Amino acid sequence: MPVDSGHPEPEGSGLSLRERKKQRTRRVLADTALRLFGERGFDRVTLEELTAHAEVGRTTFFRYYASKEDVAMAAEGELWDAYVARFARHTGPGPALTALRACLTQTILAMPAGWDRRFVASRRLAAGTPVLHHHSLVSSMRTAQRLIEVLERRLDTDSREDVRLRLLGELALGAWRCGARNWVAGRGEHETPVAARRPGHGGPALLARRVEESFDAIPAALALDLP
Amino acid sequence: MPVDSGHPEPEGSGLSLRERKKQRTRRVLADTALRLFGERGFDRVTLEELTAHAEVGRTTFFRYYASKEDVAMAAEGELWDAYVARFARHTGPGPALTALRACLTQTILAMPAGWDRRFVASRRLAAGTPVLHHHSLVSSMRTAQRLIEVLERRLDTDSREDVRLRLLGELALGAWRCGARNWVAGRGEHETPVAARRPGHGGPALLARRVEESFDAIPAALALDLP
DNA sequence: AACATAATGGCACCGAGTCCCGTTTCATGT
DNA sequence: ACATGAAACGGGACTCGGTGCCATTATGTT
């Protein structure tokens, strides 16, 4: 869809009028959703109300988002698309886990301005809404699957032949979940500087840091002893 | 609920008549569900039909299972309950990952007879039904969470303080997912003996073996190199 | 200006899940 | 054996997410 055909509109962001309208509708839906859900709770807002506020028909909504959960967690979806794309582009020898890790932090830091605010709003919703939390888990697992498929192509192997591929994908996203959880909780490895103010949780930089810390902890986790 | 109060029924499995009837209804629902879903597909069977075949009211169904997905994946739920219970009981020093691993394989091997057939039927359904696959992922993630809570109590730590706890929980269930996937696919580390006949997939023993292989592969996965 | 195509939104429909409430079935004490 | 209280049951109405159909409108093209 984002492929450029004839551009009759030299003005704007280089997209056709139709494309710009679609982008705009998509944004309006996501923004209104985050606002309404934040105000009154995910399950106390019906799609009827959401689409009314966004001034689109109910039918149109489903042409932009696959489900009510989907629009609430849109920010996460954008991160995963960017992550998989980056990892697929990434070329270079070295440890696979390091590559997975580097691509993830780079992706986080490269997300467009304002992304972190939308993301943290989603996470806040998910914290109090089981179905949203589930949606988040599933989307991260789907990301692991997509990473594995990239690895399979790169190494020309089947992940059923070599269990290591799947383990790596699972592990990378596991580390992400640890890091993200600690980020929204406002807790760090050692200290949480006062600078980590509530609303933004310190921004993408701190999120990336939390994820790095989780990756760092992997060897120590394997060695953890029970008393 | 399974606590023993006055037992007016010395006959049977040591449960009251009411309790036995409930167990029976629960089984009937799960069995009919697996049969109908297997015959015509998960989303081509309505709850109306399911409850009609099981001869219970629609209302009653939801007193036994939380959702349509839940009854389809009941076998998995039983495994997780048993796993968490065993790990909570498990006492003994040593590497935590080893304990998680041992408890999992022991739990698999200790599941009641016939469990593996129901389980493999569930997995087969899930393979062709996205919502069931999602349900499976979420229930394994919830299990990781429960294991983490056990670890927290054991070590008297918060998993936000010590990222290693969460990483371990994630890793254990990640290894499970790898092993289970290879088991249903009928693929092994090196070879798949002819003995691994289709329907039962070699039974719990082979499943446990696949999971062990996944745990074994963890160090090698961390060291995997990209060309 | 006329045409082709894509997006829109109204409408009817399906089915999962919740709630309420009257009825039935089991457990228990006399 | 029978009465009583509690628990399970099931019918029916309701909400709401999600799908399919189709006429209408808006955009891009010639």
Side-chain angles (χ1 to χ4, degrees):
Chain A
M1 306 300 189
V3 190
D4 48 352
S5 42
H7 287 189
E9 299 288 338
E11 174 269 339
S13 43
L15 286 167
S16 79
L17 172 60
R18 220 171 221 170
E19 227 49 42
R20 271 181 289 138
K21 274 203 170 182
K22 278 165 64 176
Q23 293 292 341
R24 194 178 142 280
T25 307
R26 201 178 167 79
R27 288 297 297 246
V28 170
L29 278 172
D31 290 346
T32 350
L34 237 38
R35 183 170 57 81
L36 291 183
F37 294 161
E39 287 171 5
R40 319 208 320 262
F42 180 75
D43 32 16
R44 271 195 293 274
V45 178
T46 68
L47 280 185
E48 202 81 46
E49 300 174 275
L50 169 56
T51 54
H53 276 81
E55 295 180 304
V56 297
R58 249 164 45 90
T59 311
T60 304
F61 172 86
F62 287 102
R63 290 195 182 97
Y64 285 89
Y65 295 96
S67 68
K68 192 183 173 189
E69 291 84 40
D70 217 41
V71 70
M73 307 304 277
E76 226 174 52
E78 294 163 23
L79 177 71
W80 296 140
D81 286 344
Y83 181 26
V84 174
R86 181 181 293 264
F87 187 67
R89 276 200 317 272
H90 173 90
T91 59
L97 187 57
T98 308
L100 284 166
R101 168 184 178 155
C103 284
L104 179 50
T105 57
Q106 287 164 17
T107 306
I108 293 169
L109 296 173
M111 290 306 280
W115 171 82
D116 59 320
R117 295 199 68 84
R118 296 191 297 129
F119 177 65
V120 77
S122 299
R123 298 292 293 206
R124 212 180 292 276
L125 282 175
T129 316
V131 286
L132 287 182
H133 186 226
H134 296 168
H135 183 96
S136 171
L137 292 176
V138 169
S139 78
S140 71
M141 299 294 308
R142 286 178 57 91
T143 305
Q145 178 63 34
R146 290 161 75 188
L147 292 174
I148 289 163
E149 284 159 11
V150 172
L151 282 171
E152 284 178 333
R153 282 194 295 274
R154 180 85 44 92
L155 298 168
D156 196 30
T157 325
D158 191 326
S159 63
R160 284 187 298 264
E161 295 277 354
D162 189 343
V163 204
R164 297 178 299 170
L165 304 195
R166 180 160 299 277
L167 277 172
L168 271 173
E170 293 266 356
L171 198 55
L173 271 295
W176 153 264
R177 287 187 291 266
C178 290
R181 195 179 185 96
N182 282 354
W183 180 64
V184 296
R187 302 288 290 274
E189 170 119 330
H190 304 111
E191 85 302 330
T192 302
V194 194
R197 66 278 182 189
R198 285 280 116 191
H201 286 84
L206 194 52
L207 173 57
R209 195 184 151 78
R210 292 282 169 271
V211 174
E212 293 276 2
E213 285 167 2
S214 296
F215 275 95
D216 280 333
I218 293 176
L222 298 179
L224 184 67
D225 267 323
L226 248 40
Chain B
M1 304 299 191
V3 191
D4 48 353
S5 42
H7 287 188
E9 300 286 339
E11 175 268 339
S13 42
L15 285 167
S16 79
L17 173 59
R18 220 172 219 169
E19 225 51 41
R20 272 182 290 136
K21 276 203 170 183
K22 279 165 62 176
Q23 293 291 342
R24 194 178 141 283
T25 307
R26 202 180 167 77
R27 287 297 297 247
V28 170
L29 279 171
D31 290 346
T32 338
L34 235 39
R35 184 169 56 80
L36 292 182
F37 294 161
E39 287 171 4
R40 319 208 319 263
F42 179 75
D43 33 16
R44 270 195 294 278
V45 178
T46 67
L47 281 185
E48 201 82 45
E49 301 173 274
L50 169 56
T51 54
H53 278 80
E55 293 179 306
V56 297
R58 266 194 32 247
T59 311
T60 304
F61 173 85
F62 288 102
R63 289 196 181 96
Y64 285 89
Y65 295 96
S67 68
K68 192 183 173 189
E69 292 82 40
D70 217 41
V71 71
M73 308 302 280
E76 228 175 50
E78 294 163 24
L79 177 72
W80 295 142
D81 286 345
Y83 181 26
V84 174
R86 181 180 292 265
F87 187 67
R89 276 201 318 273
H90 173 90
T91 57
L97 186 57
T98 307
L100 284 164
R101 168 184 178 156
C103 285
L104 179 51
T105 58
Q106 287 164 17
T107 306
I108 293 170
L109 296 173
M111 291 307 280
W115 172 82
D116 59 320
R117 295 198 67 84
R118 296 189 298 127
F119 177 65
V120 77
S122 299
R123 297 292 293 206
R124 212 180 292 276
L125 282 175
T129 316
V131 287
L132 288 182
H133 186 228
H134 295 168
H135 184 96
S136 171
L137 292 176
V138 169
S139 79
S140 70
M141 300 293 309
R142 286 179 57 90
T143 305
Q145 177 63 35
R146 289 160 76 188
L147 293 175
I148 289 162
E149 285 158 11
V150 173
L151 282 170
E152 284 177 333
R153 282 194 294 274
R154 180 84 45 90
L155 297 168
D156 196 30
T157 324
D158 190 326
S159 64
R160 283 188 298 264
E161 295 276 355
D162 191 342
V163 203
R164 297 178 299 170
L165 303 195
R166 179 159 298 276
L167 278 172
L168 271 174
E170 293 267 357
L171 198 54
L173 271 296
W176 152 264
R177 286 187 291 266
C178 290
R181 194 178 185 97
N182 282 355
W183 180 64
V184 295
R187 301 289 289 276
E189 171 120 332
H190 304 110
E191 86 301 329
T192 302
V194 193
R197 66 276 183 193
R198 286 281 117 192
H201 286 84
L206 193 53
L207 173 57
R209 197 184 151 77
R210 292 281 170 271
V211 173
E212 293 275 2
E213 285 167 2
S214 296
F215 275 95
D216 280 334
I218 292 176
L222 298 179
L224 184 69
D225 266 323
L226 249 40

